[in-house]
């Protein structure tokens, strides 16, 4: 049975919506295939608008990996904006893919990648528009298998009711293996129906099927136990780790957006994973170990990516790009190759050292110059020891002064507020630091005409990190400290004028905290919020804290728990955490020791340079650190 | 942000050839805004390795200038732009390469080496065909008659600077009901669909086909119909006889003009 395009129906609605180009597909790099000629069909979604979702590296990679298999079809879908959602409901138009405008409900698999928990309500909109029952248990053989991945999937419990399967970790091999199982299951006449397939997936030990686990709660609130409820389902589910990044040179032919998007560039991941060991950083914990892409593979990808896309900007991405073992050679090699062209290179790096400036200088050689950002994360040396972000105050001031001396007029400084053990004094230190930076900068630049922007993010404890047991700060405390910080920064008018302060509202952070460390009881909160109109919770113009508060009160009240129980409550060592049965490779005892070391203000080394710290990932995943130097160089093109 | 005070002056090669391009946007690409098209074009130029020249300065921009662009949601077979090249190229080769590099729906229809004068000086009017699903030919004829009989028809349009009132009658040189189309609009059988021929002088602010339809609706008290589908068929100078002079006609005489087959 072929599946018709819904485009004629959609086309009638497009004259009435904002930015209609985002819905029409047809981008360079997009793929269309004959429905009939394919055996396994994936709809891949990034649960935000096209402008945010299209550049997502994970979706771009999986799209290419899957479409590279001859009998597999992968198409993309994104969250539709509210104006189109209303029209689609009114005119009976289902959630559609952008490539061939097929209804998402017709695919075998519906894969959704979550970078942030604030995308959860958008999943429900997409399921509902697709005609897929919201609850996993209500779905039949005619509905797609709803599988999620991405960093926020490392605790999928708050949306466990709405999904069929979860993949932890790197997607490249995971989607290939799932595809093989689905192909075989379909070819065999779908033995065991939908549950038969889910059982096979669960049986691999690397796909989590929430429905096959029962969760029990203790009367005081915490979990009592999580147990498989049928045979052949493992008690713990392991993450996927892709090794040898050179063997996976994606994206090769990126989808080039027609609508304007948040990142208009060719992005190449220069390494995956990070072992700096910042204790607040979930990405750095769940993506271990470090796996570098080689300098020559990076050079080849950039060349092919630019030729195929026509982009004029290259982003060298990773969790801490300046840490690549050959970053100097990569930057100078690419700068040489593209000297005299209009290609600009950018390196998102937040390292607080002179090396960061050297790299920025090299990349700026070609003309365009990007901003310079330093991320000390904590205002005092004491709090930086707690979070394991080792940088001394003197080094920081000297580094930023160097940047001003080298000609930068403005730098950005990132900090967090609400960290464990934090006091008012730790946050006030940010102001003193900013003053010292401006003073030293004026001296170094020989000019008063320099500026610094201080950006403050509210800290949110995340699963699979040493701070997973920590109490989040009350938003009122965070607000108070930010107020104090502003006051001290502006206490010196001359210095204060040179410093801009940016901070985000505390309320979305409370919801992010609830969803990040929530259990299955939170699912009913998500559903209630969505039913009350909750959409795009990551967008300040759509986010309603009142809606979340009300739903949380109504749903969680009968359990004797509340928002604060999930967010500002410190956990004990033995408390069963909702994600304990999901194995990111990290040894739970190592995480606990790191938490205790944090409280004792004891720092931890990076295993790339100082030997194994026994986090447990390499032995449990049967992988090793993959890094250079290779000694190779980029030759002129 | 983060700009260095003393920037190195970039040294871009000069323009050695100017090419004028007639292009179209059709099908689903009609939903592209002008900026969407401009980004797609700049990337197509890079992919096709066309030796575009760049502006001087710290943030060089490709030398592309556009004549008035059709609005979002409107098709066109007659959009114009001019490219400044840093190396001489054969226009027909540029036409082929650029057309192949653009997403389907954006089409390069003709490329000619620029002669004297500017493109803008050769364009003062547009010829449109407008499909109006939901409007019968009979009603359309009545409305068109009233429209043409009026001296002024003022309608409101929301612009970026707020609500503006514009006279949509004045700039309309010709408005007539055309023969019916073969295919049902939006694939809906049985839906009536009037087709209008429209010639509009380009004034400021521009009177667009949907403004004319708003005017039609007002003078004849028509129901709200489905979104019309407008296509710009031609732009150029209007002669006293009511003919439109192709803006590339003067350039085409030059030796190396190149046209793709229509």
């Amino acid at each position: 049975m072929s599946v018709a395009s819904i485009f004629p129906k959609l086309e009638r609605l497009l004259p009435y919506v904002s930015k209609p180009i985002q819905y029409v597909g047809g981008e360079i790099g997009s793929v269309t295939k004959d429905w009939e000629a394919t055996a396994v069909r994936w709809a891949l979604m990034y649960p935000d608008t096209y402008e945010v979702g299209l550049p997502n590296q994970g979706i771009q990679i999986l799209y290419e990996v899957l479409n590279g298999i001859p009998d597999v079809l992968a198409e993309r879908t994104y969250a539709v904006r509210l104006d189109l959602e209303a029209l689609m409901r009114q005119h009976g138009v289902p959630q559609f893919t952008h490539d061939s405008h097929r209804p998402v409900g017709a695919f075998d698999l519906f894969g959704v990648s979550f970078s942030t928990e604030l995308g959860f309500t958008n999943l429900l909109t997409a399921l509902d528009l697709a005609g897929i029952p919201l609850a996993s248990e209500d779905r039949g053989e005619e509905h797609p298998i709803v599988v999620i991945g991405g960093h926020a999937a490392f605790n999928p419990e708050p949306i466990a009711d709405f999904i069929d399967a979860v993949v932890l970790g790197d997607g490249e091999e995971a989607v290939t293996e799932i595809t093989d199982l689905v192909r075989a299951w379909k070819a065999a006449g779908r033995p065991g129906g939908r549950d038969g397939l889910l059982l096979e997936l669960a049986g691999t030990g690397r796909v989590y099927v929430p429905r096959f686990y029962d969760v029990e709660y203790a009367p005081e609130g915490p979990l009592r136990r999580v147990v498989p409820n049928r045979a052949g389902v493992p008690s713990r589910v392991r993450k996927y780790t892709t090794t040898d990044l050179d063997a996976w040179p994606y994206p090769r032919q990126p989808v080039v957006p027609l609508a304007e998007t948040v990142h208009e560039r060719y992005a190449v991941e220069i390494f995956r994973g990070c072992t700096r060991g910042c204790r607040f950083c979930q990405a750095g914990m769940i993506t271990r170990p470090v796996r570098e892409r080689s300098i020559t593979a990076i050079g080849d990808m950039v060349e092919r990516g630019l030729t195929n896309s026509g982009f004029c900007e290259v982003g060298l991405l990773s969790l801490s790009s300046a840490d690549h073992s050959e970053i100097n050679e990569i930057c100078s090699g690419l700068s040489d190759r593209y000297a005299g062209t209009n290609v600009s290179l950018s390196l998102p790096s937040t390292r607080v050292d002179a090396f960061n400036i050297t790299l920025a200088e090299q990349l700026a050689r070609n003309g365009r110059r990007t901003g310079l950002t330093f991320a000390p994360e904590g205002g005092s040396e004491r709090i930086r020891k707690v979070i394991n972000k080792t940088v001394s105050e003197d080094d920081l001031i000297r580094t930023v002064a160097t940047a001003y001396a080298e000609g930068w007029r403005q730098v950005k400084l990132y900090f967090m507020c609400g960290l464990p053990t934090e006091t008012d004094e730790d946050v006030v230190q940010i102001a003193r630091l900013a003053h010292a930076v401006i003073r030293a900068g004026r001296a170094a630049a020989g000019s008063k005409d320099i500026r610094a922007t201080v950006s403050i993010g509210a800290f949110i404890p995340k699963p699979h990190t040493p701070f997973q047991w920590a109490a989040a700060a009350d938003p009122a405390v965070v607000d108070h400290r930010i107020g104090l910080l502003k006051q001290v920064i502006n206490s010196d008018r001359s210095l204060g004028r040179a410093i801009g302060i940016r901070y985000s509202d505390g309320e979305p952070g409370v919801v992010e905290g609830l969803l990040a460390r929530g259990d299955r009881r939170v699912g009913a909160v998500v559903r209630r919020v969505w039913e009350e109109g909750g959409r795009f919770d990551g967008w300040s113009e759509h986010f309603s804290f009142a809606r979340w508060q009300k739903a949380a009160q109504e749903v969680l009240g009968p359990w004797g728990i509340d928002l604060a129980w999930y967010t500002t409550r410190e956990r004990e060592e033995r408390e069963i955490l909702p994600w304990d049965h999901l194995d990111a490779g990290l040894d739970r005892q190592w995480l606990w020791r790191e938490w205790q070391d944090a409280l004792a203000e004891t720092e931890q080394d990076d295993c790339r340079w100082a030997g194994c710290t026994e986090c447990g990932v390499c032995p449990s995943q049967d992988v090793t650190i993959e890094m250079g130097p290779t000694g190779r160089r980029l030759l002129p093109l | 942000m983060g700009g260095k005070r003393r920037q190195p002056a970039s040294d871009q090669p000069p323009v050695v050839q100017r090419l004028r391009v007639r292009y179209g946007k059709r099908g689903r690409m009609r939903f592209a805004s002008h900026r969407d098209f401009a980004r797609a074009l700049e990337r197509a130029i890079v992919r096709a390795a066309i030796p575009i020249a760049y502006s001087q300065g710290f943030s060089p921009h490709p030398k592309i200038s556009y004549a008035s662009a059709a609005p979002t949601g409107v098709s066109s077979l007659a959009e114009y732009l001019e490219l400044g090249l840093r190396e001489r190229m054969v226009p027909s080769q540029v036409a082929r390469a650029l057309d192949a590099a653009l997403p389907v729906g954006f089409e390069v229809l003709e490329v000619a080496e620029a002669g004297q004068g500017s493109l803008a000086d050769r364009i003062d009017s547009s010829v449109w065909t407008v499909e109006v699903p939901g409007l019968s030919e009979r009603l359309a004829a009545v409305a068109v008659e009233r429209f043409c009989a009026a001296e002024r028809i003022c309608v409101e349009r929301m612009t970026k600077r707020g609500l503006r009132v514009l006279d949509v009658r004045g700039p309309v040189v010709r408005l007539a009901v055309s023969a019916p189309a073969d295919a049902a609009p939006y694939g809906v059988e049985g839906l009536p669909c009037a087709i209008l021929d429209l010639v509009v002088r380009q004034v400021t602010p521009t009177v667009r086909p949907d403004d004319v339809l708003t005017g039609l609706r007002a003078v004849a008290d028509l129901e709200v119909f489905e979104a019309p589908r407008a296509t710009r068929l031609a732009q150029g100078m209007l002669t006293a006889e009511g003919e439109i002079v192709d803006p590339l006609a003067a350039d085409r005489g030059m030796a190396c003009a190149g046209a793709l087959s229509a």
Side-chain angles (χ1 to χ4, degrees):
Chain A
M1 182 196 71
S2 193
V3 171
S5 164
I6 59 93
F7 191 75
K9 282 174 149 181
L10 176 68
E11 194 179 17
R12 298 171 78 172
L13 311 181
L14 292 183
Y16 304 103
V17 304
S18 62
K19 303 182 185 175
I21 190 70
Q22 67 186 305
Y23 302 112
V24 306
E27 307 98 328
I28 296 293
S30 65
V31 177
T32 55
K33 284 190 181 183
D34 183 1
W35 185 265
E36 302 294 325
T38 52
V40 179
R41 304 165 187 123
W42 286 78
L44 298 176
M45 179 182 200
Y46 188 85
D48 207 318
T49 58
Y50 179 92
E51 66 186 287
V52 177
L54 184 126
N56 179 262
Q57 193 78 350
I59 296 285
Q60 292 251 9
I61 292 170
L62 300 184
Y63 181 71
E64 252 186 271
V65 167
L66 287 167
N67 278 318
I69 309 171
D71 70 342
V72 176
L73 168 68
E75 300 197 10
R76 297 160 298 128
T77 184
Y78 304 95
V80 296
R81 286 170 171 268
L82 300 188
D83 56 355
L84 184 57
E85 184 195 337
L87 286 171
M88 285 164 71
R89 290 186 185 283
Q90 196 183 331
H91 294 269
V93 177
Q95 180 80 25
F96 56 87
T97 59
H98 287 225
D99 310 277
S100 295
H101 295 92
R102 286 158 174 152
V104 165
F107 286 75
D108 298 311
L109 294 132
F110 180 27
V112 187
S113 176
F114 286 100
S115 307
T116 159
E117 298 83 0
L118 294 176
F120 287 168
T121 48
N122 284 359
L123 168 70
L124 300 192
T125 310
L127 289 173
D128 188 51
L129 285 173
I132 301 169
L134 295 189
S136 164
E137 60 187 11
D138 295 339
R139 290 172 200 151
E141 234 177 276
E142 71 275 27
H143 297 118
I145 299 290
V146 179
V147 48
I148 70 158
H151 288 187
F154 274 81
N155 175 25
E157 294 301 272
I159 49 168
D161 294 347
F162 317 121
I163 56 184
D164 300 311
V166 182
V167 170
L168 307 177
D170 300 322
E172 291 93 341
E173 286 157 300
V175 293
T176 315
E177 286 181 25
I178 291 170
T179 298
D180 289 344
L181 285 175
V182 171
R183 186 193 290 109
W185 173 76
K186 285 176 79 174
R190 304 174 186 249
R194 191 177 179 86
D195 271 9
L197 175 60
L198 290 172
L199 262 176
E200 277 209 46
L201 291 169
T204 62
R206 302 215 282 182
V207 178
Y208 173 50
V209 180
R211 204 143 52 78
F212 294 163
Y213 296 78
D214 289 332
V215 180
E216 293 167 21
Y217 303 94
E220 318 78 65
L223 274 62
R224 197 207 307 273
R225 57 185 205 141
V226 178
V227 279
N229 57 24
R230 59 191 82 193
V233 176
S235 57
R236 297 196 82 201
V237 183
R238 278 189 308 134
K239 76 163 178 175
Y240 275 88
T241 303
T242 298
T243 56
D244 187 10
L245 257 50
D246 284 8
W248 298 92
Y250 301 102
R252 275 201 263 231
Q253 170 64 76
V255 178
V256 183
L258 280 160
E260 192 166 10
T261 60
V262 292
H263 296 299
E264 303 262 324
R265 65 184 179 199
Y266 177 69
V268 53
E269 218 181 341
I270 63 174
F271 65 91
R272 206 172 280 182
C274 178
T275 42
R276 289 214 154 227
C278 302
R279 291 177 176 129
F280 55 84
C281 179
Q282 187 190 39
M285 292 292 158
I286 62 178
T287 63
R288 293 170 170 233
V290 166
R291 288 144 291 152
E292 287 188 353
R293 186 165 265 143
S294 72
I295 178 171
T296 42
I298 293 165
D300 291 348
M301 282 180 70
V302 169
E303 187 196 347
R304 190 171 44 215
L306 289 177
T307 307
N308 289 343
S309 68
F311 284 129
C312 289
E313 191 187 327
V314 177
L316 303 170
L317 306 191
S318 76
L319 293 172
S320 178
S321 291
D323 289 345
H324 191 288
S325 64
E326 289 178 306
I327 191 63
N328 212 0
E329 292 78 8
I330 292 168
C331 290
S332 60
L334 289 174
S335 292
D336 288 346
R337 274 190 175 180
Y338 297 100
T341 71
N342 289 285
V343 171
S344 68
L345 305 164
S346 72
L347 180 83
S349 167
T350 53
R351 260 173 69 163
V352 188
D353 55 28
F355 187 53
N356 196 359
I357 303 172
T358 309
L359 293 175
E361 289 262 298
Q362 243 168 37
L363 296 179
R365 236 169 53 201
N366 215 12
R368 294 182 203 197
R369 154 180 297 254
T370 50
L372 202 44
T373 301
F374 300 98
E377 313 279 4
S380 67
E381 285 196 39
R382 188 197 73 77
I383 200 83
R384 287 198 293 274
K385 284 183 178 151
V386 171
I387 63 178
N388 200 39
K389 183 91 188 187
T390 319
V391 50
S392 76
E393 185 157 334
D394 290 348
D395 281 348
L396 179 95
I397 294 167
R398 200 175 316 125
T399 301
V400 183
T402 308
Y404 290 123
E406 291 294 321
W408 267 271
R409 298 294 100 185
Q410 171 152 6
V411 300
K412 264 195 235 172
L413 302 169
Y414 274 127
F415 296 94
M416 279 187 294
C417 184
L419 289 161
T421 79
E422 180 184 278
T423 62
D424 288 2
E425 179 53 29
D426 291 313
V427 179
V428 166
Q429 279 290 331
I430 297 174
R432 304 226 173 91
L433 209 54
H435 282 174
V437 157
I438 294 295
R439 255 188 240 109
R442 284 178 178 168
S447 158
K448 275 199 141 185
D449 179 28
I450 55 161
R451 287 187 59 77
T453 303
V454 172
S455 281
I456 314 280
F459 165 67
I460 295 153
K462 293 277 168 125
H464 306 281
T465 69
F467 290 167
Q468 63 181 357
W469 290 280
D474 191 285
V477 172
V478 173
D479 287 350
H480 162 74
R481 288 184 184 151
I482 288 174
L484 206 56
L485 170 66
K486 284 198 281 192
Q487 207 183 319
V488 180
I489 282 182
N490 292 319
S491 64
D492 181 313
R493 283 188 59 197
S494 163
L495 296 172
R497 264 203 302 271
I499 301 166
I501 310 167
R502 296 225 178 114
Y503 56 94
S504 50
D505 205 4
E507 290 174 342
V510 175
V511 173
E512 195 183 329
L514 167 75
L515 299 175
R517 292 195 291 174
D519 51 45
R520 292 190 184 183
R521 290 171 292 191
V522 173
V525 181
V526 176
R527 183 165 182 160
R528 180 74 59 88
V529 165
W530 177 77
E531 284 166 350
E532 302 277 326
R535 307 283 190 279
F536 294 101
D537 287 299
W539 295 51
S540 55
E541 63 263 51
H542 297 303
F543 177 80
S544 161
F545 188 54
R547 193 153 51 201
W548 280 96
Q549 267 182 316
K550 180 167 167 284
Q553 208 167 16
E554 287 167 7
V555 170
L556 302 174
W559 293 90
I561 51 179
D562 57 12
L563 260 178
W565 188 83
Y566 285 98
T567 54
T568 55
R569 179 179 64 92
E570 184 169 335
R571 278 71 161 165
E572 288 175 10
E573 182 179 9
R574 276 189 300 277
E575 178 169 332
I576 296 170
L577 302 173
W579 52 91
D580 274 346
H581 57 297
L582 303 177
D583 181 8
L586 296 155
D587 179 3
R588 197 181 200 268
Q589 278 166 6
W590 180 83
L591 285 173
W592 180 260
R593 276 202 307 275
E594 278 290 292
W595 171 223
Q596 297 307 304
D597 283 352
L599 297 175
E601 299 165 19
T602 306
E603 289 159 285
Q604 177 66 277
D605 286 325
D606 187 323
C607 62
R608 274 172 294 184
W609 305 301
C612 178
T613 62
E614 298 184 337
C615 72
V617 171
C618 290
S620 75
Q621 289 282 304
D622 193 21
V623 293
T624 53
I625 300 173
E626 295 177 349
M627 61 185 282
T630 63
R632 297 197 288 263
R633 294 293 172 263
L634 292 179
L635 302 173
L637 289 174
Chain B
M1 215 187 315
K4 226 181 174 177
R5 184 181 283 165
R6 289 171 299 278
Q7 305 297 354
S10 65
D11 195 16
Q12 298 285 352
V15 172
V16 298
Q17 184 186 32
R18 287 182 302 134
L19 296 181
R20 287 176 181 164
V21 179
R22 176 165 72 96
Y23 67 97
K25 62 166 183 160
R26 287 208 274 197
R28 58 190 62 179
M29 288 310 151
R30 74 180 186 276
F31 293 109
S33 70
H34 174 59
R35 280 164 49 83
D36 297 331
F37 172 77
R39 281 193 309 275
L41 176 73
E42 287 175 27
R43 287 169 191 161
I45 285 171
V46 173
R47 286 192 299 271
I50 289 167
I52 193 84
Y54 286 84
S55 61
Q56 301 293 331
F58 185 50
S59 180
H61 288 284
K63 292 271 197 182
I64 305 169
S65 52
Y66 295 89
S68 72
T72 307
V74 167
S75 304
S76 176
L77 301 177
E79 302 296 289
Y80 293 90
L81 59 83
E82 193 173 288
L83 303 174
L85 302 189
R86 59 173 196 269
E87 287 168 31
R88 290 195 61 82
M89 297 284 286
V90 178
S92 61
Q93 282 176 3
V94 170
R96 261 192 302 276
L98 204 49
D99 187 61
L102 279 165
V104 173
F106 295 136
E107 294 157 326
V108 173
L109 300 165
E110 184 177 355
V111 176
E113 180 148 8
Q116 296 296 306
S118 80
L119 253 185
D121 292 342
R122 297 190 196 164
I123 294 175
D124 72 355
S125 303
S126 288
V127 180
W128 300 92
T129 178
V130 188
E131 292 175 40
V132 193
L135 179 64
S136 71
E137 265 186 86
R138 191 183 53 78
L139 270 178
V142 173
V144 164
E145 201 181 308
R146 286 198 201 159
F147 184 98
C148 294
E151 254 181 47
R152 272 175 73 83
I153 302 170
C154 289
V155 305
E156 292 179 331
R157 192 214 297 164
M158 192 50 98
T159 69
K160 278 180 189 138
R161 276 179 231 142
L163 206 59
R164 295 193 68 160
V165 176
L166 52 157
D167 169 30
V168 297
R169 176 62 190 91
V172 170
V173 177
R174 175 183 148 81
L175 178 62
V177 182
S178 169
D182 307 332
Y186 296 115
V188 182
E189 294 299 331
L191 185 70
C193 180
I195 296 180
L196 307 175
D197 290 340
L198 174 65
V199 179
V200 188
R201 255 184 227 286
Q202 292 182 7
V203 292
T204 308
T206 317
V207 168
R208 307 186 303 206
D210 56 327
D211 299 321
V212 172
L213 284 167
T214 307
L216 266 183
R217 218 178 277 144
V219 291
D221 231 0
L222 298 175
E223 298 279 307
V224 174
F225 26 73
E226 286 218 31
R229 290 174 62 154
T231 304
R232 174 140 69 190
L233 300 177
Q235 292 191 79
M237 294 296 279
L238 197 65
T239 64
E241 295 74 39
E243 297 293 314
I244 287 278
V245 178
D246 179 345
L248 298 191
D251 303 321
R252 207 173 288 134
M254 302 191 55
C256 49
L260 287 184
S261 56

